[in-house]
Amino acid sequence: MHDKLKNRDLLLCSSCLLIFALIVRFYTAGPVDSGGDAIYKWWELRKYSELNMALPATLWSHHMMRWSINLPVYFIQNSISKAPVYIYLFPILCSAISTILVFLIIQKVTLRKIVSLTGAVVFTILPQNILAGGQFFPMGPAVMYLLFAILFTLI
């Protein structure tokens, strides 16, 4: 019985954190970075998608070889839409999932919900995470993948 309550509490806290992180990300998402990196990758993936994964060799670059961030966005473009507004979807999801992972990692180490919740909220509002959570940069997904690795190490 105690384990069921504990799991239910973790699920409730995780759900609340997910909603909080999504609200923060949607509220703090700025305009798409026009410096080249974010929008360049998006358009190259759109070309890749429209050509059915048949890019000419001249279009391959280090941007196109980032499969850990390009493949999820490629699937988003093919399953939902190729509209530029969806450039935010993957970074926002990565950021929200990272918030939950931080909560679960701290919970696993400290066994105290207040510490875990505080850590996850602070993680969510850090300026670096606000930038990475609203732009199509490799930092957000990389943090999420690293947090998954840490969590699986602790399990």
Side-chain angles (χ1 to χ4, degrees):
M1 183 71 168
H2 179 67
D3 287 340
K4 286 184 180 181
L5 288 175
K6 183 179 176 185
N7 290 339
R8 190 173 56 174
D9 286 349
L10 285 177
L11 183 63
L12 178 65
C13 289
S14 296
S15 300
C16 290
L17 281 171
L18 178 66
I19 292 167
F20 171 73
L22 288 173
I23 289 170
V24 169
R25 288 299 161 249
F26 282 118
Y27 180 71
T28 59
V32 175
D33 184 51
S34 60
D37 244 16
I39 200 70
Y40 174 77
K41 283 192 295 270
W42 176 262
W43 286 114
E44 290 301 315
L45 281 168
R46 185 170 177 175
K47 284 188 236 174
Y48 190 65
S49 176
E50 289 171 355
L51 294 172
N52 294 323
M53 298 183 85
L55 277 182
T58 56
L59 293 179
W60 285 103
S61 68
H62 68 285
H63 295 289
M64 293 307 295
M65 297 306 293
R66 295 176 181 167
W67 292 111
S68 62
I69 62 172
N70 288 347
L71 280 180
V73 172
Y74 171 80
F75 290 122
I76 288 170
Q77 286 182 344
N78 283 325
S79 61
I80 299 175
S81 173
K82 291 178 179 68
V85 72
Y86 290 99
I87 194 170
Y88 292 109
L89 188 58
F90 185 60
I92 286 173
L93 286 176
C94 287
S95 179
I97 292 169
S98 294
T99 298
I100 295 170
L101 292 172
V102 166
F103 168 74
L104 293 174
I105 289 168
I106 297 173
Q107 180 67 31
K108 193 80 169 158
V109 172
T110 66
L111 301 174
R112 301 196 59 204
K113 279 188 193 62
I114 190 69
V115 175
S116 304
L117 287 169
T118 304
V121 167
V122 168
F123 176 83
T124 303
I125 61 175
L126 284 173
Q128 296 88 348
N129 290 334
I130 289 175
L131 175 66
Q135 296 293 332
F136 185 40
F137 292 137
M139 292 85 67
V143 167
M144 182 187 71
Y145 296 138
L146 288 170
L147 289 170
F148 266 120
I150 292 169
L151 182 64
F152 289 139
T153 303
L154 293 174
I155 291 178

